[in-house]
């Protein structure tokens, strides 16, 4: 009989059985898969079906793969896997890891898991067992959420309108910087406080009214664009229009958007003032037209009176008792004609009729009208120079210029 020593072969088979048992146990616990590494003269790796699907290895899980553990990791994680392997060879502690692996098809996946090494009683490394799961989709979702959150924060902090989020009890859960700035408050003075702390007294009563215990119901019933006033920290009020909308997937939260109406209100006030000035100007224009029309008709009547008075004086014999009366009528009519001419000058309906005039005499005759125009609370004094000569101009226009200077 020939006997052969198969101790080493027996040890190998036993180790293989142990590794397979451990791998099956890990596979039942892991989310995706597991791997086992047998350390010896050469590294042997056993991969579970889950791991093989990730790295696109189609060999049977009962046979080791030809690649090393490092060959599955993406190149930019090479230094990390080297450090991980060195730690595994030195300690039996369970070590977490996260790596990007690269399969035969060129795809990249991110795995997260833990690994632990086993040593024999003499401290010789026997093998390393690892469990892992594919977190690529989770990382993608987290990345998408991060981008979405950054966009949300960018929108919240750069939008021109004030925004707050309020729960069903009226507590402010979130606020953007622009509203804090407009209220003159810090973020900590707004977030966590009740809505009525930033609403003016005219509206805060409705917010805390017993009939509106559910603030959300009251806010949702507000018409879109309703005008309310907010209370600023310095005691002033801020006119705003409010738009309330429900937050999707958060049924107990309402988003309130406040549009500052300060500039709009200022424009409305200016428009109202300008409208009043326009109406006043239109009234003055109507009065000017009326004065011009009346003065024109009255001037025609005075012309007839003065003409008939002259003719009557010519018909009377010299020294007739009625002569002085006719002269007085003529003088009074001439004064009335001068007043009519001034009214026509104000209404700018007088025809241009330039002639030689004395400015001092013109202003002296105009002084009574000027005093009546500016009122009794203003004193009017004239300082006329004796050396002023005559000018050739339309008396009505000169009177208009002087009248404008005095009135303005």
């Amino acid at each position: 009989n020939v006997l052969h020593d198969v101790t080493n072969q027996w040890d190998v088979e036993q180790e293989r059985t142990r590794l397979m048992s451990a791998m099956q146990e890990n596979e039942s616990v892991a989310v995706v898969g597991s791997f086992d590494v047998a350390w010896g003269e050469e590294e042997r790796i056993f991969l579970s079906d889950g791991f093989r699907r990730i790295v696109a290895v189609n060999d049977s899980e009962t046979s080791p793969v030809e690649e090393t553990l490092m060959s599955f990791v993406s190149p930019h994680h090479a230094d990390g896997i080297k450090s991980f392997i060195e730690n595994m060879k030195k300690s039996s502690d369970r070590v977490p890891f996260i790596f990007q692996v690269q399969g035969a098809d060129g795809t990249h996946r991110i795995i997260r898991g833990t690994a632990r090494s086993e040593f024999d009683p003499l401290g010789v490394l026997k093998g390393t067992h690892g469990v892992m799961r594919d977190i690529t989709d989770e990382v993608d979702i987290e990345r998408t959420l991060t981008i979405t959150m950054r966009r949300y924060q960018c929108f919240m902090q750069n939008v021109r309108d004030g925004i707050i989020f309020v729960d069903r009890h009226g507590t402010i859960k979130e606020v953007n910087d622009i509203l804090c700035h407009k209220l003159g408050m810090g973020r900590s003075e707004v977030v966590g406080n009740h809505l009525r702390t930033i609403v003016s007294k005219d509206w805060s009563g409705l917010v805390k009214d017993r009939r509106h215990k559910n603030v959300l119901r009251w806010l949702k019933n507000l018409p879109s664009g309703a005008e309310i006033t907010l209370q600023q920290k310095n005691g002033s009020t801020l006119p705003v229009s409010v738009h309330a909308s429900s937050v999707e997937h958060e049924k107990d939260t309402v988003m309130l958007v406040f549009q500052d109406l300060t500039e709009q209100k200022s424009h409305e006030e200016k428009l109202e003032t300008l409208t009043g000035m326009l109406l006043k100007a239109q009234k003055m224009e109507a009065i000017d037209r009326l004065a011009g029309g009346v003065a024109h008709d009255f001037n025609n009547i005075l012309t007839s009176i003065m003409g008939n008075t002259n003719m009557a004086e010519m018909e009377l014999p010299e020294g007739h008792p009625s002569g002085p009366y006719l002269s007085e009528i003529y003088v009074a009519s001439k004064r009335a004609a001068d007043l009519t001419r001034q009214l026509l000058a104000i209404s700018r309906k007088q025809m241009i009729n330039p002639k030689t005039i004395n400015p001092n005499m013109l202003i002296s005759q105009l002084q009574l009208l000027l005093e009546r125009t500016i009122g009794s609370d203003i004193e009017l004094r004239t300082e006329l120079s004796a050396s002023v000569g005559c000018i050739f101009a339309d008396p009505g226009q000169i009177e208009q210029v002087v009248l404008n200077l005095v009135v303005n």
Side-chain angles (χ1 to χ4, degrees), residues 358-360 384-391:
N358 186 303
N360 288 348
L384 306 177
S385 174
S387 59
V388 174
C390 294
I391 61 173

Side-chain angles (χ1 to χ4, degrees), residues 371-382:
E371 290 175 348
R372 292 176 179 176
T373 302
I374 63 178
S376 58
D377 56 332
I378 300 177
E379 180 183 359
L380 176 65
R381 292 196 304 266
T382 57

Side-chain angles (χ1 to χ4, degrees), residues 52-57 71-75 100-110 134 136:
R52 290 169 182 272
R53 285 193 297 270
I54 295 175
V55 297
V57 175
S71 64
F72 294 108
V73 179
S74 299
Q100 185 182 72
V101 296
Q102 182 174 357
D105 60 355
T107 60
H108 291 82
R109 306 295 291 180
I110 299 175
D134 186 352
T136 306

Side-chain angles (χ1 to χ4, degrees), residues 214-253:
N214 190 328
V215 178
L216 293 186
R217 187 180 307 166
W218 175 76
L219 291 174
K220 291 178 180 179
N221 289 334
L222 274 177
S224 181
E227 295 187 9
I228 66 173
T229 52
L230 301 181
Q231 189 70 39
Q232 296 174 312
K233 187 174 182 179
N234 61 5
S236 303
T237 56
L238 179 69
V240 296
S241 64
V242 59
H243 302 267
S245 59
S246 301
V247 179
E248 190 174 359
H249 306 307
E250 294 186 48
K251 63 179 181 179
D252 289 338
T253 302

Side-chain angles (χ1 to χ4, degrees), residues 43-47 57 59 64-72 104:
E43 178 183 327
R44 294 185 302 166
I45 304 176
F46 295 88
L47 305 179
V57 175
D59 295 338
V65 295
E66 296 180 357
E67 292 84 353
T68 63
L69 188 61
M70 186 179 297
S71 64
F72 294 108

Side-chain angles (χ1 to χ4, degrees), residues 15-25 46 61-62:
E15 180 66 13
R16 178 183 175 187
T17 301
R18 186 191 65 79
L19 290 176
M20 290 299 298
S21 176
M23 188 165 63
Q24 290 175 357
E25 180 182 357
F46 295 88
E61 66 176 13
T62 60

